[in-house]
Amino acid sequence: MNREFLSVDNMPFCGGCGHRTVAQSLEKALGRMKDLNPLDVVVVTDIGCIGIIDKQFKTHTVHGLHGRSTALAAGISMGLSEENKKVITLIGDGGATIGLQHVIEAAQRNIDMTVIVHNNMLYGMTGGQPSGLTPCGFKTPIMPEGKPMRGHDLCKLVHAAGAPYARRLIAIGDFSDVIEEALKIKGFSFIEAMEICPSYGLKYNPTRKLHEIAEEAGLEIKLWENKIGQRDDNSYRHVTINSLFDEIQPLEVNFKSDFRGRYSLLLSGSAGEGVQSAAELLSKAVISCGLSATKKGTYPVTVGVGFSTSEVIISSDPILFTGISSPDAVIVVSKDGLNKVKSSVSEMRQGFLYIDSDLNAPETKAKILSSDFRKPFGAKSAALLALLLFLSREKLIPVEALSEQVKASGIGKKIDIEKLLSCLKD
Ligand code: SF4
């Protein structure tokens, strides 16, 4: 098996960037761990210059929101059941500042993972703003006079939180032996690699050397260990849960469908009126017919007001892309829902618009089918009733497949599905 973990050619960094040096040492360290293969490794990154390294890796990679990679990696680590897997977070000092709580919590819980903070003392990707780790006096484009207060000593913080291994190093030359040591720790290990960003840091601090900057800031280049934090049980993750997937119950295939191909549906209504749960029940019903389904919800952060829209894809083949460019059908059950999808509906060149009869359909080339969704049993049943009417007409799957899912769910106790089904006979 090819044991190349990442390609160090054509790195996406500026010339002289320390991120390249860390990546080279990481590749060497991984390569020396003989029992480890690329797909035994999960590399988690987020926003920042270091985050664009993902495509260089031959391992699993996950890319998250700014500062959240440690939290994501912690979740991944806790969900893994095999002890030989390695979860590695690569994060910048900006991301580590934003996600400081995540780093501290992961250290405190001794989660089996390695966090490498690329501390070049500024936010490189966004133009060189100082981060929480920027030392006092270090100059950046927006603080050319130097940062007025000292930065956090992240190694000391994670050490105080209980991390078995925390090490600060100067990211020059080959330090693969240190990374290998950190990767072999049972539990949480942490490396802070001090770098200087040639594009912003070096420009504003041209005469300063990394060793001097660290020394002046009181940032010791050393290893902090917590013997007490080392665990024989190989970390928290194996104590609490075997695999997150163990919790998921497979859906049984009880119905048949002759549908072949891919069908995309947009269900749009108001928050709090059961749009998301109706779409989820439809997806389960689709799977209970031996087909594939995906469901993606969109709603405002204030989840109790405004629109609620759900995209459902139905396919006879595995779904490898979950986006919808132009839906085959749009179902609109409320005014909020209409406002949200009006432009998508106007752009439809074909397909169907199922719309509540109290609403005015926008100009569209989709075929418009108007029905009472809200009147018969109220707003809370509108999305489900609309889906039942849709299925009875389009016949993608049997209506019974959806009604069975409703009965098996908690919604079946609140909504009389038989009454809803009686509307299909009219
Ligand atoms: S901007 Fe700075 S941190 Fe970003 S790639 Fe360039 S040198 Fe590296």
Side-chain angles (χ1 to χ4, degrees):
M1 183 179 193
N2 183 350
R3 289 189 65 254
E4 186 188 40
F5 289 85
L6 78 156
S7 164
V8 291
D9 299 329
N10 302 316
M11 284 274 179
F13 309 123
C14 309
C17 180
H19 295 356
R20 187 189 316 267
T21 316
V22 180
Q24 282 166 336
S25 285
L26 177 59
E27 160 66 11
K28 267 194 187 174
L30 289 166
R32 279 208 293 266
M33 299 174 76
K34 295 289 175 223
D35 294 335
L36 202 65
N37 288 308
L39 294 182
D40 293 327
V41 178
V42 185
V43 172
V44 190
T45 60
D46 59 54
I47 308 299
C49 292
I50 186 57
I52 54 176
I53 199 174
D54 295 11
K55 65 180 172 53
Q56 306 290 127
F57 276 94
K58 317 284 183 194
T59 64
H60 299 283
T61 57
V62 177
H63 193 91
L65 296 175
H66 204 176
R68 309 302 167 204
S69 52
T70 309
L72 279 171
I76 292 165
S77 176
M78 290 169 72
L80 290 171
S81 54
E82 294 167 51
E83 295 187 12
N84 67 327
K85 306 297 182 204
K86 291 284 166 208
V87 181
I88 305 169
T89 293
L90 303 180
I91 192 169
D93 54 299
T97 303
I98 292 169
L100 188 56
Q101 183 80 20
H102 302 309
V103 177
I104 302 292
E105 295 288 334
Q108 190 186 45
R109 285 166 170 74
N110 194 18
I111 292 172
D112 193 12
M113 59 192 285
T114 300
V115 175
I116 303 179
V117 174
H118 300 63
N119 182 11
N120 58 14
M121 302 171 281
L122 48 74
Y123 288 79
M125 182 175 258
T126 50
Q129 296 83 359
S131 76
L133 271 58
T134 307
C136 182
F138 190 78
K139 296 173 181 165
T140 59
I142 66 156
M143 278 189 182
E145 69 289 356
K147 191 178 167 195
M149 75 288 283
R150 63 195 169 91
H152 299 297
D153 187 329
L154 210 40
C155 285
K156 281 189 183 163
L157 287 174
V158 296
H159 175 67
Y165 184 102
R167 182 162 214 152
R168 182 177 294 114
L169 53 82
I170 300 288
I172 296 174
D174 179 353
F175 41 89
S176 52
D177 53 335
V178 174
I179 296 184
E180 186 183 352
E181 190 177 61
L183 291 172
K184 285 180 174 167
I185 293 291
K186 289 181 174 184
F188 187 83
S189 59
F190 179 88
I191 290 177
E192 181 184 335
M194 293 211 59
E195 308 172 11
I196 196 148
C197 162
S199 299
Y200 298 110
L202 204 55
K203 199 168 162 189
Y204 284 78
N205 305 269
T207 58
R208 301 187 74 192
K209 301 275 176 275
L210 271 171
H211 275 100
E212 291 165 13
I213 295 169
E215 198 178 324
E216 281 172 31
L219 298 170
E220 294 169 276
I221 307 301
K222 61 170 252 190
L223 168 67
W224 287 260
E225 286 180 288
N226 269 313
K227 294 287 180 207
I228 203 166
Q230 298 243 23
R231 295 184 182 180
D232 294 335
D233 58 16
N234 193 20
S235 98
Y236 180 81
R237 79 183 188 205
H238 301 300
V239 181
T240 54
I241 193 165
N242 287 327
S243 167
L244 295 175
F245 291 108
D246 291 349
E247 306 285 310
I248 298 171
Q249 296 300 316
L251 285 167
E252 284 179 24
V253 176
N254 296 322
F255 295 90
K256 276 191 182 162
S257 165
D258 295 328
F259 174 73
R260 291 292 169 270
R262 179 183 168 110
Y263 196 98
S264 56
L265 169 71
L266 215 55
L267 175 63
S268 196
S270 294
E273 294 187 355
V275 172
Q276 300 304 326
S277 36
E280 188 173 325
L281 291 171
L282 173 65
S283 305
K284 286 182 174 173
V286 168
I287 294 167
S288 77
C289 296
L291 301 170
S292 299
T294 63
K295 180 249 170 197
K296 194 160 56 178
T298 312
Y299 34 81
V301 280
T302 49
V303 291
V305 288
F307 68 90
S308 178
T309 299
S310 196
E311 295 177 12
V312 177
I313 297 174
I314 299 167
S315 175
S316 52
D317 295 316
I319 300 169
L320 303 178
F321 174 62
T322 58
I324 297 177
S325 49
S326 179
D328 295 300
V330 175
I331 301 176
V332 178
V333 298
S334 79
K335 197 172 171 198
D336 290 320
L338 179 60
N339 290 339
K340 178 64 184 165
V341 297
K342 205 179 256 175
S343 59
S344 305
V345 171
S346 300
E347 286 165 13
M348 288 172 78
R349 296 283 163 267
Q350 56 189 11
F352 299 97
L353 170 66
Y354 288 76
I355 188 165
D356 187 84
S357 47
D358 280 345
L359 300 169
N360 294 322
E363 284 285 316
T364 178
K365 293 213 164 54
K367 184 171 181 186
I368 300 168
L369 299 152
S370 189
S371 295
D372 285 339
F373 299 141
R374 301 176 77 82
K375 275 192 196 117
F377 306 107
K380 298 256 182 203
S381 302
L384 209 46
L385 179 58
L387 283 180
L388 290 167
L389 288 164
F390 162 79
L391 287 181
S392 71
R393 187 181 181 282
E394 302 298 330
K395 305 200 185 315
L396 300 172
I397 60 166
V399 169
E400 293 74 26
L402 178 56
S403 64
E404 282 307 306
Q405 288 300 326
V406 175
K407 285 177 197 165
S409 74
I411 293 169
K413 295 189 183 76
K414 295 180 204 152
I415 288 178
D416 188 341
I417 186 70
E418 298 303 334
K419 274 192 187 168
L420 264 61
L421 289 169
S422 69
C423 288
L424 308 186
K425 294 173 191 138
D426 299 340

